[in-house]
């Protein structure tokens, strides 16, 4: 089984997203999967310009000759696709969205009725189902900060001719969690272990239980403590940076 992960954070390996995605992939590998991570910010991906030449002039082929060809090949070979991306202004990062827009070249202009909704089929006859999973983190502490991205991920999976939404592993207060790790090692370990187990479940069961989706989002500190600690830290950072 091939698990392909995209990391849409511009901070790539230095970010919280990466540590969560890699822990999930470690779990997937322990269950026998082959995994690969594509750091989207490192790829050469031009913006979609909306010319529709990939639909009408040379079907399936984009006017841009860049890393999207390689990415589309990897998607074709994947059984599970992980969209790892932090929340930026309540949604996907620009890097991830730029890649997602370019996937239009893999679809056909024709419209079919799928479950009573107009959808585009994919090019060719290929009908392999790809499970799609969101792994995300954000700065704030409320789980509802991920709602727009989860809705977006679900819609993308429905729009993909061969997509199936698998769930969302979302970690609020990602950076705060990393800072709290020395102070609350057991609580943070339980969260990291849940990401690992989710990787195992994804491969062995083809789904991720609600329990694990809840466990990765477990609260670590109260709202009041979060606000107080964050503001104290920001004050220090401003003082240090401007000294
Ligand atoms: C441009 C920008 C926009 C952000 N928008 C949000 C937001 O809307 N909500 C939120 O809770 N965190 C927001 N954050 C915080 C990031 O989600 C957080 O720093 C996260 O840890 C980044 O992931 P990374 O460490 O993998 O890069 C934003 C950060 C940046 C730089």
């Amino acid at each position: 089984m091939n698990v392909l992960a995209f990391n849409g954070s511009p901070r790539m390996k230095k970010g919280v997203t990466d540590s969560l995605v890699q822990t999930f992939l470690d779990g997937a590998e322990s269950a026998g999967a082959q995994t690969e991570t594509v750091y989207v910010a490192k790829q050469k991906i031009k913006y979609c310009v909306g010319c529709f030449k990939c639909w009408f002039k040379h079907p399936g082929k984009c006017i841009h000759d860049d890393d999207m060809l390689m990415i589309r090949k990897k998607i074709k070979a994947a059984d599970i696709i992980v969209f790892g991306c932090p929340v930026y202004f309540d949604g996907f990062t620009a890097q991830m969205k730029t890649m997602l827009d370019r996937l239009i070249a893999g679809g056909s202009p024709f419209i079919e009725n799928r479950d009573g909704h107009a959808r585009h089929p994919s090019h060719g006859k290929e009908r392999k189902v790809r499970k799609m999973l969101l792994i995300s983190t954000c700065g704030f502490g409320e789980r509802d900060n991920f709602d727009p991205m989860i809705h977006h991920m679900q819609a993308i999976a429905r729009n993909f001719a061969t997509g199936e939404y698998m769930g969302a592993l979302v970690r609020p207060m990602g950076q705060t969690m990393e800072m709290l790790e020395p102070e609350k090692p057991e609580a943070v370990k339980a969260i990291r272990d849940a990401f690992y187990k989710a990787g195992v479940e994804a491969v062995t069961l083809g789904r991720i239980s609600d329990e694990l989706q809840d466990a990765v989002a477990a609260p670590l500190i109260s709202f009041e403590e979060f606000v107080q600690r964050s503001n104290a830290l920001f004050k220090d950072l401003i003082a240090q940076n401007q000294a």
Side-chain angles (χ1 to χ4, degrees):
M1 176 175 292
N2 286 326
V3 182
L4 172 65
F6 291 108
N7 181 332
S9 165
R11 301 202 310 142
M12 296 191 275
K13 289 188 181 176
K14 291 190 189 137
V16 181
T17 307
D18 200 51
S19 75
L20 307 179
V21 169
Q22 295 312 318
T23 307
F24 173 89
L25 295 181
D26 287 346
E29 280 178 21
S30 79
Q34 292 188 316
T35 74
E36 182 179 1
T37 307
V38 173
Y39 293 90
V40 182
K42 232 198 286 185
Q43 313 306 313
K44 288 195 185 73
I45 306 176
K46 292 188 183 144
Y47 293 127
C48 172
V49 296
C51 65
F52 290 110
K53 293 214 167 96
C54 62
W55 277 8
F56 304 119
K57 194 170 165 80
H58 28 69
K61 192 173 176 303
C62 182
I63 55 158
H64 298 310
D65 182 12
D66 58 16
D67 288 338
M68 278 310 293
L69 259 185
M70 169 274 287
I71 286 174
R72 283 173 55 201
K73 274 192 198 139
K74 287 187 191 294
I75 287 177
K76 271 191 177 242
D79 301 292
I80 296 176
I81 307 173
V82 177
F83 291 88
C85 191
V87 176
Y88 268 25
F89 276 90
D90 300 298
F92 286 105
T93 59
Q95 286 82 356
M96 185 65 104
K97 185 61 170 60
T98 301
M99 185 193 85
L100 289 168
D101 287 351
R102 289 284 306 283
L103 296 178
I104 195 167
S108 137
F110 295 102
I111 295 170
E112 62 184 13
N113 180 341
R114 274 209 312 275
D115 304 323
H117 198 294
R119 307 275 182 207
H120 299 297
S122 56
H123 282 297
K125 295 194 181 82
E126 203 240 3
R127 281 291 174 272
K128 170 178 163 180
V129 171
R130 289 176 190 83
K131 303 215 172 186
M132 297 180 169
L133 167 75
L134 174 71
I135 295 186
S136 186
T137 187
C138 76
F140 289 145
E142 301 85 359
R143 204 165 159 183
D144 66 10
N145 286 292
F146 300 98
D147 287 354
M149 273 174 98
I150 292 173
H151 283 296
H152 197 167
M153 189 74 253
Q154 288 169 334
I156 289 168
R158 280 195 300 269
N159 260 331
F160 243 70
T162 56
E164 188 182 304
Y165 177 70
M166 202 188 206
L169 296 168
V170 299
R171 178 60 237 165
M173 282 188 206
Q175 281 163 319
T176 305
M177 179 187 81
E178 291 198 335
M179 280 185 275
L180 284 169
E181 206 152 9
E183 219 177 294
K184 293 179 180 273
E186 276 160 32
V188 176
K189 185 174 180 306
I191 291 166
R192 294 201 187 280
D193 285 351
F195 274 98
Y196 185 93
K197 283 184 200 148
V200 176
E201 272 196 7
V203 172
T204 54
L205 306 178
R207 60 175 177 77
I208 296 167
S209 61
D210 290 345
E211 289 73 24
L212 286 180
Q213 293 185 59
D214 289 342
V216 300
L220 281 170
I221 48 175
S222 70
F223 176 77
E224 288 72 24
E225 194 180 349
F226 169 68
V227 173
Q228 185 266 320
R229 277 178 180 253
S230 301
N231 288 341
L233 172 71
F234 297 153
K235 209 171 153 195
D236 277 358
L237 286 174
I238 291 168
Q240 279 168 32
N241 278 277
Q242 296 181 3

